């Protein structure tokens, strides 16, 4: 972990350090919880939960336990293909008709939920002279996408006889986001029954998959050929999972620097609408990070940051580009000092989970809202190489 970023990262207003060693360590940790031979379908949708899909996928491609990548739409798949990622890529949700030609031409695998998508994918595959690999998605209790089991069986029969499509997978999505939820076991039973019904008709898709992070940590569906971790790859787990996954390491640190300091008397209003008024003479530092960079507005007047190894409170309303902190209790703060929003500084650490709790949201939203203009800096501490700065 890099606790003092000043020495290695200069010249950014706001940056996210992405620790690729921690990422690969987390895959190792997850692999220890699944049956030998089970592979990882690494979920890199939403720009790898804000971590940068291309560098994350490049880094994970080398991992021996990796099968391929799960994305949210065909543009995310194409971005990986354009970057030279040649592993299997699966669009986890559904595609819309406009996406059909490009998934076929770029060898992107698709989840199937309905007959109309089967028809358009099949026609386009035949037109391009290709075979498209598909995974049938059954709804076992998520109630979002996915075909209900009787309908899913019909779709499976249709796919088994398809000229342009190859049924390579059967999947379902888990509704519970905490490990140990009894409904996850109910969903797994429904999937098992579907598998048995398919097998009775001689249909046996090789890639059966079920487990998201919560199911992996709760050990349900971890004996199937693939597991689909997302948030745990990035070392973010909710409080209720922390004891199950103590060894996961946070991958992202979010940092900025002090750009302005002023000493103010008691009674000074700070920020829009003066929602904070100083109670005593103090020193206010201004940071060039706002809600556009992913610092949740809800943290106004309630979050903390780390500066010089100490906690300093966010004061006033967070604005689009700037945030103020009170550093009256932190000695020797100077303009240019590194400020940590997420991550460690000395022996203090702020986690995504802590921010989510304070902001009244879920860790997923905090992670994937880290803004576009935040520079991602990819670090591989074990290689001791210079940091690689990805395009903004
Ligand atoms: C996002 C997603 C996952 C990953 O879920 P996590 O809770 O982040 O592990 C797995 N499967 C599907 C279908 C998803 O959409």
């Amino acid at each position: 972990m890099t606790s003092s970023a000043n020495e290695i990262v200069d010249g950014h207003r706001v940056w996210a350090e992405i620790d690729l060693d921690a990422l690969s360590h987390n895959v190792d940790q997850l692999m220890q919880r699944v049956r030998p031979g089970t592979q990882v379908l690494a979920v890199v949708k939403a720009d790898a939960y804000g971590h940068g899909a291309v560098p994350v996928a490049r880094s994970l491609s080398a991992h021996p336990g990796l099968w391929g990548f799960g994305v949210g739409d065909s543009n995310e798949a194409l971005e990986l293909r354009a970057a030279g990622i040649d592993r299997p890529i699966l669009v986890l949700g559904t595609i819309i008709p406009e996406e059909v030609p490009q998934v076929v031409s770029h060898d992107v695998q698709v989840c199937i939920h309905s007959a109309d998508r089967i028809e358009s994918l099949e026609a386009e595959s035949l037109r391009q002279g290709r075979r498209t690999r598909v995974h049938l998605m059954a709804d076992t209790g998520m109630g979002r996408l996915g075909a209900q089991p009787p309908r899913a069986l019909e779709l499976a029969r249709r796919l088994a006889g398809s000229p342009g499509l190859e049924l390579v997978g059967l999947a379902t999505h888990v509704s519970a986001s905490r490990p140990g939820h009894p409904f996850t076991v109910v969903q797994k039973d429904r999937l098992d029954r579907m598998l048995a019904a398919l097998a009775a008709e001689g249909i046996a898709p090789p890639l059966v998959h079920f487990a998201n992070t919560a199911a992996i940590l709760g050990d349900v569906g971890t004996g199937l050929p693939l597991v689909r971790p997302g948030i745990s790859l990035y070392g973010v787990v909710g409080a209720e999972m922390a004891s199950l996954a103590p060894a996961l390491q946070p991958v992202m640190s979010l940092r900025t620097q002090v750009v302005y300091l002023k000493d103010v008397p008691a009674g000074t209003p700070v920020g829009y609408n003066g929602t904070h008024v100083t109670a005593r003479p103090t020193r206010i530092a201004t940071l060039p990070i706002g809600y556009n960079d992913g610092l949740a507005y809800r943290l106004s007047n309630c979050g903390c940051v780390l500066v010089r190894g100490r906690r300093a409170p966010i004061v006033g309303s967070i604005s689009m580009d700037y945030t103020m902190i009170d550093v009256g209790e932190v000695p020797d703060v100077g303009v240019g000092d590194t400020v940590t929003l997420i991550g460690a500084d000395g022996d203090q650490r702020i986690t995504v989970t802590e921010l989510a709790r304070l902001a009244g949201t879920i860790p997923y939203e905090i992670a994937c809202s880290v803004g576009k203009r935040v520079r991602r800096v990819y670090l591989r501490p074990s290689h001791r190489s210079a940091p690689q700065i990805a395009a903004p």
Side-chain angles (χ1 to χ4, degrees), residues 43 45 49 92 137 144 172-173 211-214 228-232 364:
V43 179
K45 67 192 178 198
Y49 293 43
L92 295 167
M137 184 61 88
R144 187 176 67 179
T172 192
H173 193 30
N212 60 358
T213 290
R228 301 190 307 263
I231 195 103
S232 50
Y364 298 79

Side-chain angles (χ1 to χ4, degrees), residues 95-108 110 115-134 158 162-165:
I95 53 170
I96 60 171
E98 288 70 17
E99 297 176 276
V100 167
Q102 53 189 26
V103 297
V104 172
S105 61
H106 288 83
D107 188 25
V108 174
V110 180
D116 55 349
R117 300 293 188 266
I118 294 180
E119 266 143 40
S120 53
L121 268 174
E122 189 173 68
E124 182 66 19
S125 300
L126 293 173
R127 202 183 64 76
Q128 292 189 24
R130 291 170 174 270
R131 268 172 91 73
T132 302
R133 279 165 283 200
V134 300
R158 168 84 173 76
S162 167
L165 305 181

Side-chain angles (χ1 to χ4, degrees), residues 175-383:
S175 140
S177 58
R178 68 170 170 85
H181 197 292
F183 192 57
T184 304
V185 178
V186 172
Q187 288 194 273
K188 175 65 170 42
D189 286 345
R190 290 178 184 160
L191 181 70
D192 289 343
R193 258 178 272 143
M194 267 213 67
L195 269 176
L198 285 177
E201 302 190 24
I203 304 173
L207 299 171
V208 183
H209 44 108
F210 177 86
N212 60 358
T213 290
I216 294 169
L217 297 181
D219 198 20
V220 184
T222 47
L224 294 171
L226 299 179
V227 289
R228 301 190 307 263
I231 195 103
S232 50
L233 293 172
Y234 311 107
V236 177
V237 285
E240 71 289 354
M241 298 194 214
S243 65
L244 288 171
L248 293 178
Q249 293 172 0
V251 172
M252 181 191 288
S253 301
L254 181 64
R255 303 192 208 265
T256 183
Q257 56 173 289
V258 173
V259 287
Y260 193 69
L261 276 171
K262 66 177 127 198
D263 292 315
V264 299
T268 306
V270 178
Y272 281 118
N273 302 308
T275 60
H276 176 81
V277 178
T278 56
R280 48 177 167 65
T282 190
R283 175 169 283 193
I284 300 294
T286 300
L287 312 177
I289 180 171
Y291 53 78
N292 180 51
D293 303 294
L295 188 60
Y297 178 75
R298 291 279 301 272
L299 296 170
S300 299
N301 286 311
C302 82
C304 271
V305 304
L306 304 178
V307 55
R308 295 202 164 251
R310 308 270 294 265
R311 289 193 172 236
I314 293 174
V315 289
S317 295
I318 291 170
S319 49
M320 196 179 287
D321 301 334
Y322 290 99
T323 296
M324 279 70 79
I325 58 174
D326 186 326
V327 293
E329 304 283 311
V330 187
D332 303 326
V333 173
V335 167
D337 278 3
T338 294
V339 175
T340 300
L341 293 305
I342 297 170
D345 181 0
D347 54 12
Q348 293 283 325
R349 173 181 286 283
I350 294 175
T351 64
V352 171
T353 307
E354 174 185 345
L355 290 187
R357 188 172 40 75
L358 285 172
T361 182
I362 53 174
Y364 298 79
E365 190 182 34
I366 298 281
C368 63
S369 58
V370 170
K372 265 204 208 85
R373 70 182 171 190
V374 175
R375 274 300 187 109
R376 269 68 171 176
V377 181
Y378 293 90
L379 307 174
R380 221 181 245 295
S382 64
H383 289 201

